[in-house]
Amino acid sequence: LKTDAIKVGTNGLHVPIAVSYAEIALANGTIFPRDDVSVGGWIRYQAFNTSGIVWNAYGPGGRIYVSQLDSGELRLNIYDGTTYYSLDTDDADLTTGAWYYIVAKVKQSASDRFLGVYDVDGEALDTAQDLSTAFNAPTQAFTSLRIGGTNTKIGRAQV
């Protein structure tokens, strides 16, 4: 954990300032982006800032990450080392102080990108999916999973 990120309970994190994050080293091959990749977690925002990172799975061949936009929407980004492929929510309208389950799924072989936002009752607030636009996932396994980071104040997170 970065010095200002705090572990809460068994699986919780408190990422109180815009440059805080928790970083989890992944064993080589733990998440291989050419296969099915799904990452999700419970997030409660303290504040929104432009283009803040919610979570970021990355390695030498690129990254897949979810960022929050200052509009309260989310963006799934896939970077293969050369090109960015993005998918945005339209109606999530996230607010500070509420819990959200944010999940992203990527499957290159099916040209499948999915981003979903759910409330504490499991109701979908917004989902975005693209099954028709081809993209290239990173070519090497991820080495780290970072929660929080650039411009994001996550009050609590559980992944």
PDB file of all heavy atoms in Angstrom, residues 19 31-32 44-45 47 64 69 77 84 88 92 100 105 113 116 119 121 126 131 133 137-138 144 146 151-152 155 159:
ATOM      1  N   VAL A  19      -3.819  10.692  -4.998  1.00  0.00           N
ATOM      2  CA  VAL A  19      -2.695   9.931  -5.523  1.00  0.00           C
ATOM      3  C   VAL A  19      -2.482   8.627  -4.754  1.00  0.00           C
ATOM      4  O   VAL A  19      -1.489   7.948  -4.947  1.00  0.00           O
ATOM      5  CB  VAL A  19      -1.391  10.772  -5.533  1.00  0.00           C
ATOM      6  CG1 VAL A  19      -1.516  11.921  -6.505  1.00  0.00           C
ATOM      7  CG2 VAL A  19      -1.064  11.269  -4.144  1.00  0.00           C
ATOM      8  N   ILE A  31      -3.278 -13.250 -14.389  1.00  0.00           N
ATOM      9  CA  ILE A  31      -4.296 -12.687 -15.280  1.00  0.00           C
ATOM     10  C   ILE A  31      -3.637 -12.502 -16.634  1.00  0.00           C
ATOM     11  O   ILE A  31      -2.731 -11.692 -16.789  1.00  0.00           O
ATOM     12  CB  ILE A  31      -4.833 -11.340 -14.765  1.00  0.00           C
ATOM     13  CG1 ILE A  31      -5.463 -11.489 -13.386  1.00  0.00           C
ATOM     14  CG2 ILE A  31      -5.853 -10.765 -15.757  1.00  0.00           C
ATOM     15  CD1 ILE A  31      -5.937 -10.182 -12.782  1.00  0.00           C
ATOM     16  N   PHE A  32      -4.085 -13.289 -17.593  1.00  0.00           N
ATOM     17  CA  PHE A  32      -3.539 -13.189 -18.941  1.00  0.00           C
ATOM     18  C   PHE A  32      -4.584 -12.538 -19.832  1.00  0.00           C
ATOM     19  O   PHE A  32      -5.663 -13.076 -20.013  1.00  0.00           O
ATOM     20  CB  PHE A  32      -3.144 -14.561 -19.489  1.00  0.00           C
ATOM     21  CG  PHE A  32      -2.280 -14.475 -20.709  1.00  0.00           C
ATOM     22  CD1 PHE A  32      -0.947 -14.119 -20.590  1.00  0.00           C
ATOM     23  CD2 PHE A  32      -2.804 -14.709 -21.962  1.00  0.00           C
ATOM     24  CE1 PHE A  32      -0.136 -14.015 -21.716  1.00  0.00           C
ATOM     25  CE2 PHE A  32      -2.008 -14.609 -23.091  1.00  0.00           C
ATOM     26  CZ  PHE A  32      -0.672 -14.268 -22.974  1.00  0.00           C
ATOM     27  N   ARG A  44     -16.610   3.073  -3.008  1.00  0.00           N
ATOM     28  CA  ARG A  44     -17.357   4.230  -2.497  1.00  0.00           C
ATOM     29  C   ARG A  44     -16.461   5.445  -2.661  1.00  0.00           C
ATOM     30  O   ARG A  44     -15.389   5.525  -2.075  1.00  0.00           O
ATOM     31  CB  ARG A  44     -17.747   4.069  -1.035  1.00  0.00           C
ATOM     32  CG  ARG A  44     -18.592   5.242  -0.521  1.00  0.00           C
ATOM     33  CD  ARG A  44     -19.073   5.047   0.901  1.00  0.00           C
ATOM     34  NE  ARG A  44     -17.996   5.006   1.860  1.00  0.00           N
ATOM     35  CZ  ARG A  44     -17.486   6.074   2.478  1.00  0.00           C
ATOM     36  NH1 ARG A  44     -17.947   7.282   2.222  1.00  0.00           N
ATOM     37  NH2 ARG A  44     -16.507   5.934   3.347  1.00  0.00           N
ATOM     38  N   TYR A  45     -16.896   6.392  -3.476  1.00  0.00           N
ATOM     39  CA  TYR A  45     -16.106   7.582  -3.764  1.00  0.00           C
ATOM     40  C   TYR A  45     -16.253   8.648  -2.694  1.00  0.00           C
ATOM     41  O   TYR A  45     -17.339   8.879  -2.185  1.00  0.00           O
ATOM     42  CB  TYR A  45     -16.565   8.223  -5.083  1.00  0.00           C
ATOM     43  CG  TYR A  45     -16.149   7.459  -6.299  1.00  0.00           C
ATOM     44  CD1 TYR A  45     -17.035   6.616  -6.949  1.00  0.00           C
ATOM     45  CD2 TYR A  45     -14.867   7.583  -6.820  1.00  0.00           C
ATOM     46  CE1 TYR A  45     -16.657   5.919  -8.078  1.00  0.00           C
ATOM     47  CE2 TYR A  45     -14.486   6.894  -7.940  1.00  0.00           C
ATOM     48  CZ  TYR A  45     -15.384   6.063  -8.567  1.00  0.00           C
ATOM     49  OH  TYR A  45     -15.010   5.369  -9.684  1.00  0.00           O
ATOM     50  N   ALA A  47     -14.666  11.722  -3.641  1.00  0.00           N
ATOM     51  CA  ALA A  47     -14.671  12.866  -4.555  1.00  0.00           C
ATOM     52  C   ALA A  47     -14.402  12.371  -5.967  1.00  0.00           C
ATOM     53  O   ALA A  47     -13.802  11.325  -6.156  1.00  0.00           O
ATOM     54  CB  ALA A  47     -13.615  13.898  -4.153  1.00  0.00           C
ATOM     55  N   ILE A  64      -5.356  -2.936 -18.890  1.00  0.00           N
ATOM     56  CA  ILE A  64      -6.806  -2.819 -18.948  1.00  0.00           C
ATOM     57  C   ILE A  64      -7.193  -2.117 -17.655  1.00  0.00           C
ATOM     58  O   ILE A  64      -6.799  -2.541 -16.567  1.00  0.00           O
ATOM     59  CB  ILE A  64      -7.485  -4.194 -19.050  1.00  0.00           C
ATOM     60  CG1 ILE A  64      -7.097  -4.874 -20.377  1.00  0.00           C
ATOM     61  CG2 ILE A  64      -8.996  -4.054 -18.921  1.00  0.00           C
ATOM     62  CD1 ILE A  64      -7.595  -6.300 -20.509  1.00  0.00           C
ATOM     63  N   LEU A  69     -14.925   9.392 -14.935  1.00  0.00           N
ATOM     64  CA  LEU A  69     -14.897  10.669 -15.624  1.00  0.00           C
ATOM     65  C   LEU A  69     -15.531  11.718 -14.719  1.00  0.00           C
ATOM     66  O   LEU A  69     -16.338  11.394 -13.843  1.00  0.00           O
ATOM     67  CB  LEU A  69     -15.656  10.557 -16.944  1.00  0.00           C
ATOM     68  CG  LEU A  69     -15.215   9.405 -17.853  1.00  0.00           C
ATOM     69  CD1 LEU A  69     -16.117   9.320 -19.076  1.00  0.00           C
ATOM     70  CD2 LEU A  69     -13.768   9.551 -18.247  1.00  0.00           C
ATOM     71  N   ASN A  77     -10.924   1.037 -20.430  1.00  0.00           N
ATOM     72  CA  ASN A  77      -9.841   1.300 -21.375  1.00  0.00           C
ATOM     73  C   ASN A  77      -9.001   0.044 -21.553  1.00  0.00           C
ATOM     74  O   ASN A  77      -8.635  -0.595 -20.566  1.00  0.00           O
ATOM     75  CB  ASN A  77      -8.922   2.404 -20.837  1.00  0.00           C
ATOM     76  CG  ASN A  77      -9.664   3.687 -20.600  1.00  0.00           C
ATOM     77  OD1 ASN A  77      -9.894   4.451 -21.519  1.00  0.00           O
ATOM     78  ND2 ASN A  77     -10.048   3.934 -19.353  1.00  0.00           N
ATOM     79  N   TYR A  84      -5.324   2.619 -27.805  1.00  0.00           N
ATOM     80  CA  TYR A  84      -6.336   2.582 -26.754  1.00  0.00           C
ATOM     81  C   TYR A  84      -7.689   2.243 -27.370  1.00  0.00           C
ATOM     82  O   TYR A  84      -8.057   2.777 -28.416  1.00  0.00           O
ATOM     83  CB  TYR A  84      -6.455   3.941 -26.050  1.00  0.00           C
ATOM     84  CG  TYR A  84      -5.396   4.187 -25.024  1.00  0.00           C
ATOM     85  CD1 TYR A  84      -4.233   4.864 -25.351  1.00  0.00           C
ATOM     86  CD2 TYR A  84      -5.559   3.743 -23.717  1.00  0.00           C
ATOM     87  CE1 TYR A  84      -3.247   5.094 -24.414  1.00  0.00           C
ATOM     88  CE2 TYR A  84      -4.581   3.975 -22.764  1.00  0.00           C
ATOM     89  CZ  TYR A  84      -3.436   4.649 -23.117  1.00  0.00           C
ATOM     90  OH  TYR A  84      -2.464   4.874 -22.177  1.00  0.00           O
ATOM     91  N   ASP A  88     -17.560   3.564 -22.797  1.00  0.00           N
ATOM     92  CA  ASP A  88     -18.074   4.418 -21.729  1.00  0.00           C
ATOM     93  C   ASP A  88     -19.495   4.033 -21.323  1.00  0.00           C
ATOM     94  O   ASP A  88     -20.292   3.605 -22.154  1.00  0.00           O
ATOM     95  CB  ASP A  88     -18.123   5.885 -22.176  1.00  0.00           C
ATOM     96  CG  ASP A  88     -16.763   6.482 -22.413  1.00  0.00           C
ATOM     97  OD1 ASP A  88     -15.746   5.802 -22.193  1.00  0.00           O
ATOM     98  OD2 ASP A  88     -16.704   7.649 -22.841  1.00  0.00           O
ATOM     99  N   ALA A  92     -24.681   6.093 -15.689  1.00  0.00           N
ATOM    100  CA  ALA A  92     -24.331   5.642 -14.333  1.00  0.00           C
ATOM    101  C   ALA A  92     -24.592   6.738 -13.311  1.00  0.00           C
ATOM    102  O   ALA A  92     -25.111   6.479 -12.235  1.00  0.00           O
ATOM    103  CB  ALA A  92     -22.878   5.195 -14.270  1.00  0.00           C
ATOM    104  N   TYR A 100     -20.856   1.294  -4.850  1.00  0.00           N
ATOM    105  CA  TYR A 100     -21.135   0.782  -6.193  1.00  0.00           C
ATOM    106  C   TYR A 100     -20.287  -0.455  -6.440  1.00  0.00           C
ATOM    107  O   TYR A 100     -19.129  -0.505  -6.028  1.00  0.00           O
ATOM    108  CB  TYR A 100     -20.767   1.811  -7.274  1.00  0.00           C
ATOM    109  CG  TYR A 100     -21.517   3.096  -7.153  1.00  0.00           C
ATOM    110  CD1 TYR A 100     -20.935   4.200  -6.544  1.00  0.00           C
ATOM    111  CD2 TYR A 100     -22.819   3.199  -7.629  1.00  0.00           C
ATOM    112  CE1 TYR A 100     -21.630   5.387  -6.427  1.00  0.00           C
ATOM    113  CE2 TYR A 100     -23.519   4.390  -7.512  1.00  0.00           C
ATOM    114  CZ  TYR A 100     -22.919   5.477  -6.908  1.00  0.00           C
ATOM    115  OH  TYR A 100     -23.608   6.647  -6.786  1.00  0.00           O
ATOM    116  N   LYS A 105     -15.396  -6.723 -18.031  1.00  0.00           N
ATOM    117  CA  LYS A 105     -15.084  -8.023 -18.621  1.00  0.00           C
ATOM    118  C   LYS A 105     -14.548  -7.789 -20.022  1.00  0.00           C
ATOM    119  O   LYS A 105     -15.087  -6.972 -20.776  1.00  0.00           O
ATOM    120  CB  LYS A 105     -16.336  -8.895 -18.674  1.00  0.00           C
ATOM    121  CG  LYS A 105     -16.091 -10.289 -19.229  1.00  0.00           C
ATOM    122  CD  LYS A 105     -17.368 -11.096 -19.263  1.00  0.00           C
ATOM    123  CE  LYS A 105     -17.959 -10.942 -20.634  1.00  0.00           C
ATOM    124  NZ  LYS A 105     -19.048 -11.837 -20.957  1.00  0.00           N
ATOM    125  N   ARG A 113     -16.390  -6.536 -24.945  1.00  0.00           N
ATOM    126  CA  ARG A 113     -16.004  -5.608 -23.881  1.00  0.00           C
ATOM    127  C   ARG A 113     -17.275  -5.264 -23.120  1.00  0.00           C
ATOM    128  O   ARG A 113     -18.295  -4.939 -23.718  1.00  0.00           O
ATOM    129  CB  ARG A 113     -15.390  -4.332 -24.458  1.00  0.00           C
ATOM    130  CG  ARG A 113     -14.101  -4.585 -25.193  1.00  0.00           C
ATOM    131  CD  ARG A 113     -13.550  -3.321 -25.812  1.00  0.00           C
ATOM    132  NE  ARG A 113     -14.435  -2.849 -26.869  1.00  0.00           N
ATOM    133  CZ  ARG A 113     -14.539  -1.583 -27.247  1.00  0.00           C
ATOM    134  NH1 ARG A 113     -13.829  -0.645 -26.662  1.00  0.00           N
ATOM    135  NH2 ARG A 113     -15.347  -1.238 -28.219  1.00  0.00           N
ATOM    136  N   GLY A 116     -20.018  -2.699 -16.220  1.00  0.00           N
ATOM    137  CA  GLY A 116     -21.277  -2.598 -15.492  1.00  0.00           C
ATOM    138  C   GLY A 116     -21.108  -1.905 -14.155  1.00  0.00           C
ATOM    139  O   GLY A 116     -20.067  -2.020 -13.508  1.00  0.00           O
ATOM    140  N   ASP A 119     -25.842  -1.001  -7.905  1.00  0.00           N
ATOM    141  CA  ASP A 119     -25.994  -0.427  -6.571  1.00  0.00           C
ATOM    142  C   ASP A 119     -25.934  -1.535  -5.521  1.00  0.00           C
ATOM    143  O   ASP A 119     -25.758  -2.712  -5.850  1.00  0.00           O
ATOM    144  CB  ASP A 119     -27.272   0.416  -6.470  1.00  0.00           C
ATOM    145  CG  ASP A 119     -28.564  -0.386  -6.579  1.00  0.00           C
ATOM    146  OD1 ASP A 119     -28.542  -1.629  -6.438  1.00  0.00           O
ATOM    147  OD2 ASP A 119     -29.615   0.245  -6.796  1.00  0.00           O
ATOM    148  N   ASP A 121     -28.156  -2.965  -3.886  1.00  0.00           N
ATOM    149  CA  ASP A 121     -29.225  -3.950  -4.006  1.00  0.00           C
ATOM    150  C   ASP A 121     -29.041  -4.854  -5.217  1.00  0.00           C
ATOM    151  O   ASP A 121     -29.899  -5.688  -5.506  1.00  0.00           O
ATOM    152  CB  ASP A 121     -30.584  -3.243  -4.096  1.00  0.00           C
ATOM    153  CG  ASP A 121     -30.909  -2.480  -2.829  1.00  0.00           C
ATOM    154  OD1 ASP A 121     -30.629  -3.000  -1.726  1.00  0.00           O
ATOM    155  OD2 ASP A 121     -31.433  -1.353  -2.938  1.00  0.00           O
ATOM    156  N   ASP A 126     -26.091   1.094 -14.767  1.00  0.00           N
ATOM    157  CA  ASP A 126     -25.711   1.290 -16.156  1.00  0.00           C
ATOM    158  C   ASP A 126     -24.802   0.147 -16.575  1.00  0.00           C
ATOM    159  O   ASP A 126     -23.990  -0.332 -15.782  1.00  0.00           O
ATOM    160  CB  ASP A 126     -24.978   2.619 -16.346  1.00  0.00           C
ATOM    161  CG  ASP A 126     -24.933   3.073 -17.804  1.00  0.00           C
ATOM    162  OD1 ASP A 126     -25.564   2.423 -18.666  1.00  0.00           O
ATOM    163  OD2 ASP A 126     -24.271   4.075 -18.076  1.00  0.00           O
ATOM    164  N   LEU A 131     -19.955  -5.873 -28.667  1.00  0.00           N
ATOM    165  CA  LEU A 131     -19.654  -7.214 -29.156  1.00  0.00           C
ATOM    166  C   LEU A 131     -19.220  -7.209 -30.614  1.00  0.00           C
ATOM    167  O   LEU A 131     -19.049  -8.273 -31.205  1.00  0.00           O
ATOM    168  CB  LEU A 131     -20.889  -8.112 -29.010  1.00  0.00           C
ATOM    169  CG  LEU A 131     -21.338  -8.407 -27.588  1.00  0.00           C
ATOM    170  CD1 LEU A 131     -22.738  -8.993 -27.573  1.00  0.00           C
ATOM    171  CD2 LEU A 131     -20.354  -9.335 -26.912  1.00  0.00           C
ATOM    172  N   THR A 133     -16.868  -4.550 -32.125  1.00  0.00           N
ATOM    173  CA  THR A 133     -15.655  -3.837 -32.478  1.00  0.00           C
ATOM    174  C   THR A 133     -14.435  -4.666 -32.083  1.00  0.00           C
ATOM    175  O   THR A 133     -14.214  -4.924 -30.905  1.00  0.00           O
ATOM    176  CB  THR A 133     -15.594  -2.469 -31.770  1.00  0.00           C
ATOM    177  OG1 THR A 133     -16.777  -1.734 -32.074  1.00  0.00           O
ATOM    178  CG2 THR A 133     -14.374  -1.686 -32.214  1.00  0.00           C
ATOM    179  N   ALA A 137      -6.048  -7.086 -27.160  1.00  0.00           N
ATOM    180  CA  ALA A 137      -5.710  -7.058 -25.739  1.00  0.00           C
ATOM    181  C   ALA A 137      -4.192  -7.060 -25.609  1.00  0.00           C
ATOM    182  O   ALA A 137      -3.481  -7.411 -26.553  1.00  0.00           O
ATOM    183  CB  ALA A 137      -6.314  -8.274 -25.037  1.00  0.00           C
ATOM    184  N   PRO A 138      -3.683  -6.650 -24.456  1.00  0.00           N
ATOM    185  CA  PRO A 138      -2.241  -6.729 -24.245  1.00  0.00           C
ATOM    186  C   PRO A 138      -1.730  -8.150 -24.504  1.00  0.00           C
ATOM    187  O   PRO A 138      -2.454  -9.128 -24.328  1.00  0.00           O
ATOM    188  CB  PRO A 138      -2.075  -6.344 -22.779  1.00  0.00           C
ATOM    189  CG  PRO A 138      -3.248  -5.462 -22.509  1.00  0.00           C
ATOM    190  CD  PRO A 138      -4.369  -6.065 -23.309  1.00  0.00           C
ATOM    191  N   SER A 144       0.725  -6.535 -12.173  1.00  0.00           N
ATOM    192  CA  SER A 144       0.192  -5.809 -11.018  1.00  0.00           C
ATOM    193  C   SER A 144      -1.272  -5.451 -11.206  1.00  0.00           C
ATOM    194  O   SER A 144      -1.727  -5.255 -12.332  1.00  0.00           O
ATOM    195  CB  SER A 144       0.966  -4.508 -10.785  1.00  0.00           C
ATOM    196  OG  SER A 144       2.262  -4.771 -10.341  1.00  0.00           O
ATOM    197  N   ARG A 146      -3.588  -2.451  -9.585  1.00  0.00           N
ATOM    198  CA  ARG A 146      -3.572  -1.243  -8.762  1.00  0.00           C
ATOM    199  C   ARG A 146      -5.005  -0.782  -8.556  1.00  0.00           C
ATOM    200  O   ARG A 146      -5.778  -0.678  -9.503  1.00  0.00           O
ATOM    201  CB  ARG A 146      -2.763  -0.142  -9.434  1.00  0.00           C
ATOM    202  CG  ARG A 146      -2.667   1.112  -8.602  1.00  0.00           C
ATOM    203  CD  ARG A 146      -1.818   2.151  -9.264  1.00  0.00           C
ATOM    204  NE  ARG A 146      -0.410   1.796  -9.079  1.00  0.00           N
ATOM    205  CZ  ARG A 146       0.593   2.574  -9.444  1.00  0.00           C
ATOM    206  NH1 ARG A 146       0.370   3.724 -10.051  1.00  0.00           N
ATOM    207  NH2 ARG A 146       1.826   2.194  -9.226  1.00  0.00           N
ATOM    208  N   ASN A 151      -5.811  10.829  -9.513  1.00  0.00           N
ATOM    209  CA  ASN A 151      -7.006  11.670  -9.413  1.00  0.00           C
ATOM    210  C   ASN A 151      -8.238  10.987  -8.842  1.00  0.00           C
ATOM    211  O   ASN A 151      -9.343  11.460  -9.062  1.00  0.00           O
ATOM    212  CB  ASN A 151      -7.367  12.257 -10.781  1.00  0.00           C
ATOM    213  CG  ASN A 151      -6.342  13.259 -11.243  1.00  0.00           C
ATOM    214  OD1 ASN A 151      -5.739  13.944 -10.431  1.00  0.00           O
ATOM    215  ND2 ASN A 151      -6.136  13.329 -12.528  1.00  0.00           N
ATOM    216  N   THR A 152      -8.105   9.888  -8.135  1.00  0.00           N
ATOM    217  CA  THR A 152      -9.280   9.218  -7.580  1.00  0.00           C
ATOM    218  C   THR A 152      -9.214   9.206  -6.063  1.00  0.00           C
ATOM    219  O   THR A 152      -8.215   8.797  -5.493  1.00  0.00           O
ATOM    220  CB  THR A 152      -9.371   7.766  -8.075  1.00  0.00           C
ATOM    221  OG1 THR A 152      -9.387   7.768  -9.493  1.00  0.00           O
ATOM    222  CG2 THR A 152     -10.642   7.097  -7.584  1.00  0.00           C
ATOM    223  N   GLY A 155     -13.178   6.331  -1.096  1.00  0.00           N
ATOM    224  CA  GLY A 155     -13.349   6.279   0.352  1.00  0.00           C
ATOM    225  C   GLY A 155     -13.131   4.882   0.891  1.00  0.00           C
ATOM    226  O   GLY A 155     -12.451   4.681   1.874  1.00  0.00           O
ATOM    227  N   VAL A 159     -12.122  -5.558  -3.254  1.00  0.00           N
ATOM    228  CA  VAL A 159     -12.010  -6.280  -4.522  1.00  0.00           C
ATOM    229  C   VAL A 159     -11.953  -7.752  -4.238  1.00  0.00           C
ATOM    230  O   VAL A 159     -11.378  -8.188  -3.278  1.00  0.00           O
ATOM    231  CB  VAL A 159     -10.742  -5.840  -5.288  1.00  0.00           C
ATOM    232  CG1 VAL A 159     -10.596  -6.633  -6.563  1.00  0.00           C
ATOM    233  CG2 VAL A 159     -10.836  -4.370  -5.594  1.00  0.00           C
TER     234      VAL A 159
END
